[in-house]
Structure formats: structure tokens, C-alpha cells
Amino acid sequence: MAEVWPIEQVVLVGFMGSGKTSVGAELALRLGWPHLDTDEIIERAERRKISDIFQNSGEQYFRTLEARATGALAAQKEVLISTGGGWMMDPRLPAMLRPAATLVWLEVSAEQALHRLGGTEARDCRPLLASPDPEATVRRMLAEREPIYRTADHAISTDGLSVADVATEIEMLLRSHQ
């Protein structure tokens, strides 16, 4: 018999490179829940990569798709959702999943995010890093977004931890709320 959790959805939020997708996949396996990634949902629906959407249709169009994907997830129960790095910036999106969702912020430093994203090569696959100075962009974006990320229900620092370590910390946090 599957374990019954009082939490209906776990939503991983945080900056790009924080590990939302990797940790989400690992944690979903442990919980026995499906793992749904908003970026993957958008890419399947659009039949193109996020970078292509940003480049050819613009960020605003992408944010509209992100809201649509979130709305489709709202009624789902016992799912683990990984979001894009800017998902929390639109307060309507977390509100669509409340009160069923428990938001977990995967906190990451600028240095660790850049390392995980491949340093300056990150601009090739991460549209918002397509700048002459990706490090400055990451630092600026983190400073802007951190106050919003802090509104999540829980925070887990991911710096220096493996995917398994972060998944274990979140699993222990969830179990402590059973």
C-alpha cells in the first residue's frame, strides 16, 4: 500500500542551476509520485526548446505558457512539480497551486549556479544569461529574486550537496510534517 502524505503537491522553486529538475526526479521516485517539470511540459506542448521560445516568441509569451502549464497542474494530487527559475516572480502562479502545494526553495549561490550551468557557456542554453557578463547577470537576478524565493514554505541550501543529499533533506522535512 502506498504511503499517504498530508501534502498534496511538492513544488520545487529556485534559481536556474539550483537542482530543481534533478532533485525533483530523485525525490519523486522516493515518494512514488510523478515528477512534472513546467519547462518540459511547455517544450512538449510547443514542440521546441525554451531557448527557442525566448528567442523567437519572447519572454512574455513564455510566461503566458508557464501560467497555462501551472493552471493545468493545479488539480493534480500527489505530484512533485519542478518549476522554471522565474516561476515565482509571478505571484499568480504559486497562488494557483495553493493551498495544496508545499513550496520548497532550493537555495543556490551565484558561484554554484554558474558552475552547475557550465559557466559562461550557460548563455547558449539559458536565454536569460545571454549577456556579455553572465556572472553579473546571475548575481543581479539572484538579488532581485531572493526576496520572492524566501516566501516559499521551506528553504534548503543546495551548495556543496549532491542531488541525493538534497532529496534526502527534503524527504526528511516532508516526513516531519506527517
Side-chain angles (χ1 to χ4, degrees):
M1 177 177 258
E3 188 170 3
V4 176
W5 292 84
I7 297 167
E8 295 177 353
Q9 297 176 339
V10 174
V11 181
L12 301 182
V13 302
F15 197 69
M16 58 185 113
S18 63
K20 298 178 301 288
T21 299
S22 301
V23 171
E26 172 73 20
L27 186 57
L29 280 174
R30 294 179 185 202
L31 299 177
W33 290 2
H35 175 230
L36 305 171
D37 185 293
T38 58
D39 284 352
E40 290 175 7
I41 291 167
I42 292 167
E43 287 182 341
R44 272 196 309 277
E46 288 287 302
R47 295 189 179 108
R48 57 187 174 145
K49 296 283 185 195
I50 299 299
S51 57
D52 292 337
I53 296 169
F54 267 77
Q55 184 175 12
N56 298 314
S57 302
E59 183 177 359
Q60 190 56 47
Y61 179 70
F62 170 77
R63 298 299 174 196
T64 299
L65 297 173
E66 197 171 46
R68 188 176 305 147
T70 301
L73 296 172
Q76 300 213 24
K77 306 293 182 225
E78 295 188 350
V79 295
L80 195 137
I81 301 168
S82 296
T83 64
W87 184 85
M88 286 279 292
M89 300 305 99
D90 182 343
R92 297 173 304 160
L93 303 186
M96 285 182 194
L97 302 180
R98 296 286 193 183
T102 296
L103 275 59
V104 180
W105 171 33
L106 301 187
E107 188 177 359
V108 65
S109 67
E111 295 80 15
Q112 187 74 67
L114 280 165
H115 173 74
R116 291 177 184 168
L117 295 169
T120 57
E121 290 76 40
R123 67 183 85 177
D124 296 332
C125 62
R126 303 289 180 150
L128 294 177
L129 294 184
S131 73
D133 188 353
E135 182 177 351
T137 301
V138 165
R139 290 186 186 290
R140 178 186 52 76
M141 290 174 72
L142 271 172
E144 290 169 357
R145 292 177 176 188
E146 187 173 304
I148 305 299
Y149 291 148
R150 287 195 182 286
T151 65
D153 300 306
H154 306 284
I156 303 286
S157 176
T158 66
D159 282 9
L161 297 179
S162 69
V163 168
D165 290 340
V166 176
T168 296
E169 283 201 33
I170 298 170
E171 186 178 13
M172 289 178 2
L173 175 79
L174 296 175
R175 289 189 187 286
S176 73
H177 288 71
Q178 278 188 308

